[in-house]
Amino acid sequence: MLWTVFLLTLWLNKCNAQEVIYGTNKYIEYQVGNMSLILTAPHGGSLTPSSIPSRDAGCYEKATGKCYYMHSCPAGAVTDSANCKVTTVKDLYTQEMALAVAKEICRLTSGYCPHIVINNLSRSKLDPNRNKDEAAFGVPDADKAWDEFMDFIRAAKSRMSQGLVIDIHGQSHAEQWIELGYLISKTNLDSGKFSASDTSIYALSKRRLDTSFEELLRGRQSLGMLIEEQNINYVCVPSPSNPGPNGGNYFSGGYITSTYGSKTSGEVDAIQIELPKWIRESAERPKFAAVLAKALLNYYEFSFEKI
């Protein structure tokens, strides 16, 4: 078996049955894990409580070029969907994908399960992958849900000395590939103008000084490679097959990856995964969940190989 009991003890902390904790009104859900992996699903919720007005365009102040994200614009600012646009589209089946991946990891490791943090609110009400103002528009119930989402991630991180956050999203780009975001823009990924310290896996680069950052990001030891080698149909960017998007569409990572990865501090890394719809749908989801679960376990065996 690839993941030996000895290696597992290096990065897992044994605990009892998985506990589920809910935030206020069950808007946010935290499934407590027993390993140093956190899965987040911020954009797959469906709840639309009337107490939280729907997010729409922010308020644009022309004199300063500043956006204010609130429902009542301050003096000198007007609602402007061009300059202060917000995205409210649901990432279909991302909650389901997070749960499927977690279930497969539990199965493969005979009971070691990742932490899972889920936003059950519609993205039109709350977007936890944005800073608080843009995420919640100053609505008290939404503000509180945002706080609870972040508190749950921090609670999960507090249980580990090293670890990884996987932030699961959906996209509809024409390329239909899997986009792995490390906080490197698509232009810089194509040009090679970046360093490990620019990224959300900076801690990994410092742990594995025996391996070049190119290998960790898009070479033989990258998450993209670990996915593609199991199924050539799951094309990833970046990876050995696609080192960059080559001018194509690509999401580099958002608020969660930036805030909870290791770019600025700490030993917990983060990667945003943007999945095309065909992979998220029911016919393909179990197959990809199995592939991603195995890839994450392989990634961790390498990342924490400190014998």
Side-chain angles (χ1 to χ4, degrees):
M1 183 177 179
L2 184 58
W3 313 289
T4 65
V5 172
F6 177 75
L7 283 173
L8 284 171
T9 61
L10 297 179
W11 56 279
L12 300 175
N13 295 304
K14 185 85 172 179
C15 69
N16 296 321
Q18 197 164 14
E19 178 185 7
V20 180
I21 303 173
Y22 292 100
T24 305
N25 298 318
K26 295 189 175 181
Y27 293 158
I28 309 298
E29 177 179 343
Y30 172 30
Q31 297 187 18
V32 182
N34 56 356
M35 62 186 293
S36 51
L37 174 64
I38 305 168
L39 306 181
T40 58
H43 292 163
S46 300
L47 297 179
T48 57
S50 59
S51 62
I52 303 178
S54 293
R55 298 164 62 248
D56 46 21
C59 303
Y60 182 65
E61 186 177 63
K62 187 175 181 180
T64 62
K66 183 177 180 179
C67 290
Y68 297 90
Y69 292 100
M70 55 184 64
H71 292 288
S72 297
C73 294
V78 295
T79 301
D80 190 327
S81 60
N83 288 297
C84 303
K85 179 182 178 181
V86 298
T87 302
T88 59
V89 176
K90 179 179 180 178
D91 286 357
L92 288 171
Y93 313 127
T94 49
Q95 286 187 4
E96 293 85 348
M97 181 63 77
L99 294 171
V101 172
K103 182 178 180 180
E104 182 65 10
I105 289 174
C106 294
R107 186 188 71 81
L108 288 171
T109 61
S110 300
Y112 290 100
C113 305
H115 302 265
I116 310 170
V117 181
I118 291 172
N119 170 35
N120 288 317
L121 283 168
S122 166
R123 194 177 181 185
S124 66
K125 304 295 184 177
L126 178 70
D127 186 343
N129 201 33
R130 299 290 188 272
N131 64 52
K132 190 174 183 179
D133 287 348
E134 186 177 350
F137 270 58
V139 177
D141 284 356
D143 278 346
K144 188 170 187 179
W146 188 92
D147 287 338
E148 290 172 342
F149 189 94
M150 304 309 163
D151 285 345
F152 285 146
I153 296 178
R154 286 190 288 268
K157 284 186 66 176
S158 72
R159 294 169 178 256
M160 58 191 74
S161 57
Q162 299 176 344
L164 178 66
V165 177
I166 295 293
D167 188 31
I168 300 176
H169 293 265
Q171 44 83 8
S172 56
H173 293 155
E175 293 85 356
Q176 296 291 294
W177 52 27
I178 298 164
E179 301 164 20
L180 303 174
Y182 302 89
L183 304 181
I184 305 170
S185 70
K186 65 179 184 179
T187 300
N188 288 345
L189 200 54
D190 281 340
S191 68
K193 293 181 179 179
F194 58 83
S195 65
S197 61
D198 298 323
T199 74
S200 55
I201 56 168
Y202 185 35
L204 171 60
S205 73
K206 291 183 288 184
R207 286 194 298 271
R208 296 307 308 241
L209 295 174
D210 57 337
T211 306
S212 73
F213 188 66
E214 278 287 323
E215 281 293 294
L216 297 175
L217 180 73
R218 51 191 179 186
R220 299 293 303 177
Q221 302 298 340
S222 67
L223 182 58
M225 176 65 186
L226 293 172
I227 293 171
E228 288 187 345
E229 69 182 357
Q230 296 180 65
N231 188 327
I232 60 173
N233 293 318
Y234 298 149
V235 178
C236 295
V237 181
S239 70
S241 66
N242 290 278
N246 194 26
N249 290 293
Y250 173 75
F251 286 130
S252 62
Y255 181 87
I256 292 170
T257 304
S258 177
T259 302
Y260 298 105
S262 59
K263 180 176 179 178
T264 57
S265 65
E267 290 295 323
V268 176
D269 299 300
I271 303 171
Q272 179 171 298
I273 296 186
E274 291 274 355
L275 300 172
K277 187 178 178 182
W278 71 272
I279 285 178
R280 290 176 275 136
E281 290 182 328
S282 58
E284 196 68 27
R285 192 184 313 134
K287 302 173 191 176
F288 180 74
V291 165
L292 182 56
K294 187 179 291 186
L296 289 173
L297 289 172
N298 284 331
Y299 191 74
Y300 254 89
E301 182 180 28
F302 173 79
S303 300
F304 293 153
E305 192 174 38
K306 301 284 188 181
I307 299 176

